[in-house]
Amino acid sequence: YQLCIFSKQTKDEWWNYVIAFGKDEDCLSFKDPKKCRERLMKENSIDVKAIDKCVKDSFEGDDILIADNRILREERKHHLKRKVSFVPAIIINDVTYKVACSKVQC
């Protein structure tokens, strides 16, 4: 959902949603992720129906459990192109910053 929000909304709206999600204890508990996600989208003036459509349309098949996902595939290509094959990493102005970590830390 966050990739659809990122692609369909302004960057400020996306950041507001991400920050609100990170501060919301109900969302962080994952008790009812759909309800939480929809509430936060509405609170941040994000069109829930448009984002749901974006997510649905990103699957290349009817069964989302086995269907390929166009958005995730493109995101993976983007990371592989920049040699980001692990997390944590961030790309700022086309420069990849990676954090060295042990198996215990990551």
Side-chain angles (χ1 to χ4, degrees), residues 13-80:
E13 289 167 331
W14 180 79
W15 274 113
N16 289 340
Y17 172 82
V18 170
I19 290 167
F21 191 95
K23 290 180 177 179
D24 193 296
E25 290 186 23
D26 289 335
C27 291
L28 295 175
S29 71
F30 295 105
K31 289 179 183 172
D32 191 349
K34 181 180 183 206
K35 182 179 175 183
C36 181
R37 177 180 67 241
E38 289 178 356
R39 178 176 51 79
L40 289 180
M41 281 194 274
K42 288 174 185 173
E43 288 174 5
N44 287 282
S45 303
I46 295 171
D47 185 345
V48 175
K49 288 183 182 180
I51 300 306
D52 284 343
K53 181 177 180 347
C54 173
V55 171
K56 182 178 184 242
D57 291 349
S58 69
F59 288 98
E60 297 173 341
D62 295 329
D63 187 347
I64 65 170
L65 297 176
I66 60 172
D68 196 13
N69 186 291
R70 175 186 47 78
I71 292 173
L72 295 178
R73 184 178 58 244
E74 291 301 317
E75 188 74 6
R76 179 74 174 140
K77 275 194 230 177
H78 177 75
H79 287 179
L80 290 173

